[in-house]
Amino acid sequence: MKDERRLILHPSSFILKLVTIMGLFDKFKKKTEQPASAGSADTAVAAPQPEAEQVEPAPPEAPQPKLGLFGRLKQGLKKTTQLLKTDIRDLFKKEGRLVDDGFLEEVRVILIRTDMGPVGTEQIVGQIATDFRARVVQMADIKDIIGRQLKQLMAQDAAPLRMAAEGPTVIMVAGVNGSGKTTSIAKLARMFTAEGKRVVLGAGDTFRAAAVEQLTIWSQRLGVEIITAPQGSDPASVAHRAVTAAVEQGADVCIIDTAGRLQTQQNLMNELSKIHRVIGKKIPDAPHEVLLVLDATGGQNGISQARGFAQAVNCTGLILAKLDGTAKGGVIVPIRQQFQLPVKFVGTGETPEDFAPFQPDAFVDAMLADWEEPAA
């Protein structure tokens, strides 16, 4: 029985030993293959590689040319231009339109939508009726009349700023809050410093702490002096101190900011008149300019603003601000017609450089730019 058990156990013992030997052999085989693999990898690394193709770097993009006055005006009048050219073009078919009462009414509605006002609109519509009633016209004919009439309506004598014969030129700036008054003052200051003039600012809008803070930031950016006072201080005293500093320092220009609450507040109108008088006592003939800033996006509301401020401080000219593509430029027409105030400058963007003297013909040309003929 013992011998039989040995015969039965012996084969399994043999198989176990055989498996163990085979496992050792596999380990030995792997160890002997590893150097060969490493050598193979080294050989692959050492093999010569084809030279990479040299790719020349792309040339730097050319800087975009800076827009000139006409380009900035086109950009600023984009809304008016789009409205006019689209709506007028829609009136026409390829063969043109007969000028009758219905056609004239359609043109009238389109012009009113540009904030041109009834007087300017009727002058243009009347001229179209006079020249073309009962005739078939093309879009180019109507565009030509609109352009010529707008240039007549906006025409003004050259209106450069009136500068003092000696001593500092004092410019008083008025306008309701949010009209772009503070930024327009900064643009004026930048224009003068670019001409080599020394500028002093007076932060006279003491009813609004934010107005003083904004103007102070601009003065630091532009490197000009500013006279300030705590919120609630007498604006006239700030104006007096600013003018005094300009005289003592031999500055060329002193620009006075003023309060900008709604013109219907009688106390505000009285305050503006007081500032005007105080400045005049310090420097005879001052202020040399009183500029009213109008928000070009305000439409017909700008007219009531102009009336109130013009009566309070004897405005000498206008600055049309925020002509940034969202404005309706036609509002200049009723303002010019009703107040006979020259538009001195237009602001076409937010940077200090986006500022230029108003040129009526260029303004109208920009308003009517890029009209396409109606599709066939």
Side-chain angles (χ1 to χ4, degrees), residues 63-110:
Q64 293 296 322
K66 191 173 182 179
L67 290 176
L69 172 60
F70 185 73
R72 296 200 303 273
L73 284 174
K74 278 180 61 178
Q75 196 172 60
L77 289 166
K78 185 166 52 178
K79 183 173 183 179
T80 309
T81 300
Q82 188 67 31
L83 190 155
L84 281 172
K85 74 178 182 181
T86 301
D87 290 2
I88 294 291
R89 184 182 59 206
D90 288 347
L91 298 178
F92 289 89
K93 298 178 181 178
K94 184 180 179 182
E95 62 271 18
R97 279 288 301 270
L98 176 68
V99 177
D100 55 14
D101 288 343
F103 176 80
L104 293 173
E105 181 60 27
E106 289 180 84
V107 173
R108 180 180 287 109
V109 170
I110 292 169

Side-chain angles (χ1 to χ4, degrees), residues 138-297:
Q138 304 298 327
M139 188 176 75
D141 300 319
I142 302 305
K143 177 184 176 182
D144 180 63
I145 286 185
I146 292 174
R148 285 190 283 110
Q149 291 299 312
L150 281 176
K151 287 179 180 180
Q152 288 183 19
L153 289 164
M154 293 189 189
Q156 62 183 40
D157 294 333
L161 290 174
R162 185 168 72 96
M163 305 299 288
E166 59 179 0
T169 297
V170 181
I171 301 173
M172 185 173 164
V173 182
V176 299
N177 294 341
S179 64
K181 177 166 58 77
T182 304
T183 304
S184 295
I185 291 172
K187 291 177 178 181
L188 278 171
R190 185 262 172 194
M191 181 186 73
F192 286 125
T193 56
E195 295 172 356
K197 293 182 172 62
R198 186 172 181 179
V199 178
V200 173
L201 303 180
D205 190 356
T206 57
F207 297 114
R208 275 198 317 141
V212 177
E213 181 181 350
Q214 290 166 9
L215 198 59
T216 300
I217 292 171
W218 275 118
S219 72
Q220 293 168 350
R221 290 178 182 173
L222 298 170
V224 299
E225 182 163 352
I226 185 169
I227 303 300
T228 64
Q231 184 176 3
S233 299
D234 180 12
S237 69
V238 176
H240 184 272
R241 288 172 50 218
V243 172
T244 300
V247 172
E248 292 175 350
Q249 297 174 20
D252 302 292
V253 180
C254 180
I255 306 174
I256 308 295
D257 188 15
T258 61
R261 292 178 182 173
L262 291 175
Q263 74 279 3
T264 52
Q265 297 180 2
Q266 187 59 43
N267 60 342
L268 173 61
M269 298 295 100
N270 293 338
E271 191 61 55
L272 293 174
S273 299
K274 179 182 177 182
I275 294 172
H276 197 287
R277 293 193 305 271
V278 167
I279 292 172
K281 288 180 180 178
K282 183 64 181 178
I283 299 180
D285 247 4
H288 304 91
E289 290 278 2
V290 181
L291 302 180
L292 174 62
V293 179
L294 293 178
D295 179 354
T297 65

Side-chain angles (χ1 to χ4, degrees), residues 14 65 120 184 254 300 347 368:
F14 173 79
S184 295
C254 180
Q300 291 289 324
L368 302 179

Side-chain angles (χ1 to χ4, degrees), residues 11-85:
S12 63
S13 177
F14 173 79
I15 292 171
L16 180 61
K17 290 181 180 180
L18 181 61
V19 170
T20 304
I21 293 171
M22 290 178 67
L24 291 173
F25 179 80
D26 287 340
K27 289 182 181 180
F28 176 79
K29 184 178 180 181
K30 288 179 181 179
K31 288 181 180 180
T32 57
E33 286 177 350
Q34 283 177 359
S37 299
S40 174
D42 291 341
T43 305
V45 172
Q49 298 292 324
E51 292 187 6
E53 183 180 353
Q54 296 295 321
V55 179
E56 294 185 4
E61 291 185 8
Q64 293 296 322
K66 191 173 182 179
L67 290 176
L69 172 60
F70 185 73
R72 296 200 303 273
L73 284 174
K74 278 180 61 178
Q75 196 172 60
L77 289 166
K78 185 166 52 178
K79 183 173 183 179
T80 309
T81 300
Q82 188 67 31
L83 190 155
L84 281 172
K85 74 178 182 181

